[in-house]
Amino acid sequence: MTTELHAQAPALESDTFDLLDLRILCALEVNGRASFSRLGGVLGVSDQTVARRYRRLCAEGDLRVVAVRDAERLGHDQWMLRLRCVPDTAHTIADALAKRPDTSWIALASGGTEVICGTRPRTPGDRDDLLLGKLPRTPSVVEIRAHQLLHRFFGGPDGWLRKFRALTDDQIAALRPAPRPAAPAGIGPEDEPLVAALERDGRASLPELQRATGRSESAVKRRLSSLVASGAIYIDVEYAPESLGHRVGAALWITAAPAALHRVGQALARHPEIAHVTATAGPSNLMATVVTRSTADLYAYLSGPLGALEGVQHVEATPYLRRVKQLTYPRARRAGPPSARSRS
């Protein structure tokens, strides 16, 4: 794991959480459904300690464990939208978009006049309804830039927390779910109640999932394992990066020379500051989320590691003001960068 990452790992600088909290977050990123006793055994603490820390992370660090459909594995379209809005209307537009089931994360940027929205339409009709119907007819939206996501270099099941290197390779191996033969990735109509329940709570117990689906516990367990093994869904962790001392986030819209596109994307994926990077179609050909401790660190990254990449022709950085929606559900209004897992 460590050899493929940039030599420097992000630093934990938090007044609220310590190294054990970070290790619990990292462990949940590896296996979000691992029991407290399994987590405690791997981390060398009691299950009561893990449960107590988990509850505090939920209350004070915005921690949620949820299932996420992997649109790339499922072959679904994904788009990143930049909506320039009339002043004082961006909040309303962002809140309305957050209620749509096909939006995956939403943030306010550019002094509150821009909404950045990730969307995963499940059908061409859903896509056209949003891009050709509702948004163009919204008078307060004065410009729409649509970037189709083409290839994920980092993000999705690969989470930013791994870059802290808080767990050893042996600990990661001990936490991973038991391997199963991979089936073709797909979510059928009969899977929707199960996936919907896991999108609400990725740690829902088997009895809770049985009640939500009407299927037996053994059937639920088998199907859940199959969905995860196929890559159709993954169990994700949502948290506030500012609780780990990383208070500044920004979207990067990068133009690389076509011949250097793949190489630049791979290099960005190794940078500790990068939480997500994907190739896109649109005005730029790469989009990334960068998370840093301060604006000074953001400048140091833009002028240093990013600026030094051969093949990068243009960079536009758009600092986030507030996250509105993360992963599957709208968030309470608060300052700070979007979740470090705000990606596809």
Side-chain angles (χ1 to χ4, degrees):
M1 178 189 74
T2 57
T3 57
E4 66 187 51
L5 299 180
H6 193 272
Q8 181 184 358
L12 173 65
E13 294 188 5
S14 173
D15 297 329
T16 307
F17 302 119
D18 60 18
L19 183 57
L20 177 58
D21 294 311
L22 175 60
R23 286 174 174 160
I24 291 171
L25 283 173
C26 292
L28 289 168
E29 188 175 76
V30 175
N31 185 352
R33 289 188 58 81
S35 66
F36 291 146
S37 59
R38 184 174 181 181
L39 294 170
V42 170
L43 299 178
V45 297
S46 69
D47 55 350
Q48 294 92 340
T49 296
V50 174
R52 183 174 63 253
R53 295 292 187 108
Y54 175 82
R55 288 191 292 269
R56 187 162 70 96
L57 286 164
C58 292
E60 301 178 23
D62 282 358
L63 172 63
R64 292 175 66 240
V65 179
V66 295
V68 177
R69 304 166 195 251
D70 192 337
E72 185 161 305
R73 289 295 300 271
L74 292 169
H76 295 166
D77 276 354
Q78 301 176 84
W79 296 78
M80 195 67 65
L81 309 180
R82 300 183 65 181
L83 311 178
R84 188 162 61 88
C85 307
V86 173
D88 298 327
T89 64
H91 286 279
T92 302
I93 293 170
D95 289 341
L97 286 168
K99 297 174 183 177
R100 292 180 61 100
D102 57 352
T103 57
S104 53
W105 70 278
I106 298 168
L108 295 177
S110 302
T113 60
E114 182 175 348
V115 177
I116 300 176
C117 171
T119 179
R120 299 169 176 171
R122 298 181 193 173
T123 68
D126 290 340
R127 179 198 62 205
D128 294 349
D129 175 61
L130 183 62
L131 296 181
L132 304 178
K134 289 184 170 55
L135 289 176
R137 291 198 298 266
T138 304
S140 52
V141 174
V142 298
E143 183 183 25
I144 303 171
R145 294 187 183 182
H147 304 250
Q148 186 175 17
L149 308 191
L150 303 178
H151 176 77
R152 182 175 62 208
F153 293 100
F154 189 79
D158 298 316
W160 179 64
L161 288 171
R162 62 175 285 200
K163 295 185 176 183
F164 280 86
R165 305 179 196 170
L167 301 178
T168 67
D169 289 346
D170 288 342
Q171 287 174 318
I172 292 172
L175 284 165
R176 289 198 187 281
R180 288 175 54 92
I187 299 174
E190 69 281 2
D191 296 319
E192 288 296 335
L194 173 60
V195 175
L198 291 164
E199 286 175 333
R200 291 189 295 270
D201 179 6
R203 291 182 62 82
S205 67
L206 290 178
E208 289 171 329
L209 295 175
Q210 178 191 23
R211 291 192 292 272
T213 62
R215 302 163 77 175
S216 68
E217 288 189 23
S218 59
V220 166
K221 184 177 181 180
R222 285 194 304 271
R223 189 54 186 153
L224 171 56
S225 297
S226 179
L227 287 169
V228 172
S230 73
I233 66 171
Y234 55 92
I235 306 300
D236 205 350
V237 290
E238 175 188 303
Y239 54 91
E242 58 265 31
S243 66
L244 303 178
H246 291 71
R247 297 176 175 82
V248 176
L252 303 180
W253 313 94
I254 301 168
T255 302
L261 175 61
H262 195 73
R263 173 169 47 81
V264 171
Q266 290 179 317
L268 288 168
R270 293 190 292 269
H271 289 179
E273 300 86 354
I274 295 297
H276 167 253
V277 58
T278 181
T280 69
S284 58
N285 55 14
L286 286 165
M287 185 270 172
T289 293
V290 59
V291 185
T292 63
R293 290 168 293 185
S294 66
T295 53
D297 286 338
L298 176 59
Y299 172 76
Y301 175 71
L302 296 176
S303 60
L306 179 56
L309 283 181
E310 184 178 353
V312 172
Q313 299 176 328
H314 178 76
V315 177
E316 178 187 356
T318 308
Y320 299 125
L321 296 181
R322 179 172 68 82
R323 60 185 182 276
V324 178
K325 184 177 184 178
Q326 296 176 216
L327 301 179
T328 54
Y329 287 93
R331 303 297 293 168
R333 290 194 175 184
R334 58 177 294 162
S339 165
R341 296 293 295 277
S342 57
R343 14 323 127 146
S344 10

